[in-house]
Amino acid sequence: MTTISAGAEPAGVRHVKRPTPLRESVYEALTEMIIDGTLERGRHLVEVELAGLLGVSRQPVREALQRLNNEGWVDLRPGFGAMVHVPAEDEVDQLLAARAALESESARLAARHATKDDVAKLRDLCKVGTAYQEAGDIDSTVRTNGELHSLITQMSGNRFLVDFAAQVDRRVRWYYTPVAPVRGAASWREHNRLVKAISEGDEDKSAQIMREHTEHTRKAYHDLQAASEPIETPDEAAPRRRRRTVN
């Protein structure tokens, strides 16, 4: 009979170490650079430049760009290369509509299940986020905003809501980063109102405030995009009109 000494592994058992593949690390790095604006929307992405920036060869960069294209972060254009995706207006609306549905339900359930410790953590995050916002630290403001929303979702006690919300979190951060300075103090006042409703166990009010909060972010995003669009002068517009009439 075969015996196994203390601490020995049973026959056939092998522990395989799985270091993170380089392409995965490159993918994560590029994704975060897109989210925080280091790689701005519409930017032409050159493999050799990215490889030099990250200190890797071009192959994992090429693989990461293909994955980013599949997930909608990057557009690959034949004959031109890769470009950081520029979201269309309907993309933002669709994402934030999904987020509003998920998070309003999360807020409603959070109000039902919240403990004193949960509420204390939410209030602490509101204080930290407000301080970052007042200091003009946008990256930290966006990160703290995400932590607060994530905690509310976790407080719902619904693991499917947690999973679904996690899937859209990165994309929401990407859209939210440009509007964080615009939303400013108003966003954190809304957070404080939300936390108060949750602390009082008011499920309907919590859901309503969360839905309105998301709608304000959606409107701020569109207002910012409209304000940043170039305005054509008559001299610039006329040649284009003439060209369209020539066949």
Side-chain angles (χ1 to χ4, degrees):
M1 185 172 98
T2 302
T3 60
I4 300 175
S5 59
E9 296 287 0
V13 172
R14 299 290 187 272
H15 290 291
V16 178
K17 294 183 179 180
R18 300 189 177 211
T20 303
L22 188 56
R23 64 177 177 276
E24 183 70 22
S25 298
V26 171
Y27 162 82
E28 290 292 336
L30 292 178
T31 304
E32 287 301 317
M33 290 168 73
I34 290 171
I35 291 171
D36 67 21
T38 301
L39 298 175
E40 65 274 14
R41 301 169 191 203
R43 176 168 172 173
H44 185 204
L45 301 175
V46 181
E47 288 181 8
V48 66
E49 292 179 358
L50 295 176
L53 185 64
L54 299 176
V56 298
S57 67
R58 293 176 62 179
Q59 183 59 32
V61 171
R62 186 176 299 114
E63 293 172 351
L65 289 177
Q66 184 61 59
R67 179 175 172 185
L68 289 166
N69 174 68
N70 294 339
E71 296 180 359
W73 295 101
V74 164
D75 297 323
L76 293 179
R77 301 180 181 178
F80 186 76
M83 301 274 293
V84 177
H85 181 64
V86 179
E89 288 193 10
D90 64 337
E91 291 180 52
V92 181
D93 288 339
Q94 290 175 27
L95 179 75
L96 293 182
R99 185 197 189 202
L102 292 170
E103 294 202 334
S104 60
E105 179 63 10
S106 294
R108 185 180 70 80
L109 293 174
R112 180 185 301 178
H113 300 302
T115 66
K116 290 183 178 180
D117 286 344
D118 290 333
V119 172
K121 291 176 183 177
L122 289 175
R123 286 175 174 157
D124 285 343
L125 285 170
C126 282
K127 291 178 182 177
V128 171
T130 299
Y132 281 137
Q133 181 269 318
E134 291 174 347
D137 187 340
I138 301 304
D139 289 342
S140 297
T141 300
V142 172
R143 184 182 66 251
T144 308
N145 177 79
E147 291 173 358
L148 184 141
H149 282 262
S150 177
L151 177 55
I152 290 172
T153 304
Q154 292 171 31
M155 288 166 58
S156 73
N158 186 315
R159 65 185 180 88
F160 293 102
L161 279 176
V162 173
D163 289 344
F164 294 151
Q167 292 178 36
V168 302
D169 173 65
R170 273 184 158 177
R171 191 77 58 167
V172 168
R173 280 199 293 130
W174 188 34
Y175 295 156
Y176 182 70
T177 298
V179 303
V182 179
R183 292 282 279 125
S187 178
W188 292 98
R189 286 196 296 270
E190 292 161 16
H191 285 146
N192 278 296
R193 286 180 57 227
L194 174 60
V195 173
K196 183 174 185 294
I198 289 174
S199 70
E200 294 171 348
D202 193 329
E203 297 180 26
D204 291 341
K205 188 174 182 180
S206 297
Q208 178 186 352
I209 293 173
M210 180 65 91
R211 186 172 293 278
E212 291 172 350
H213 176 69
T214 303
E215 173 58 21
H216 292 157
T217 298
R218 187 196 69 81
K219 186 176 184 302
Y221 182 90
H222 286 309
D223 289 347
L224 184 65
Q225 293 301 109
S228 64
E229 288 179 357
I231 299 175
E232 290 185 340
T233 65
D235 289 342
E236 292 172 332
R240 274 193 282 273
R241 285 197 295 270
R242 285 196 297 271
R243 279 198 294 272
R244 283 198 295 268
T245 60
V246 175
N247 293 319

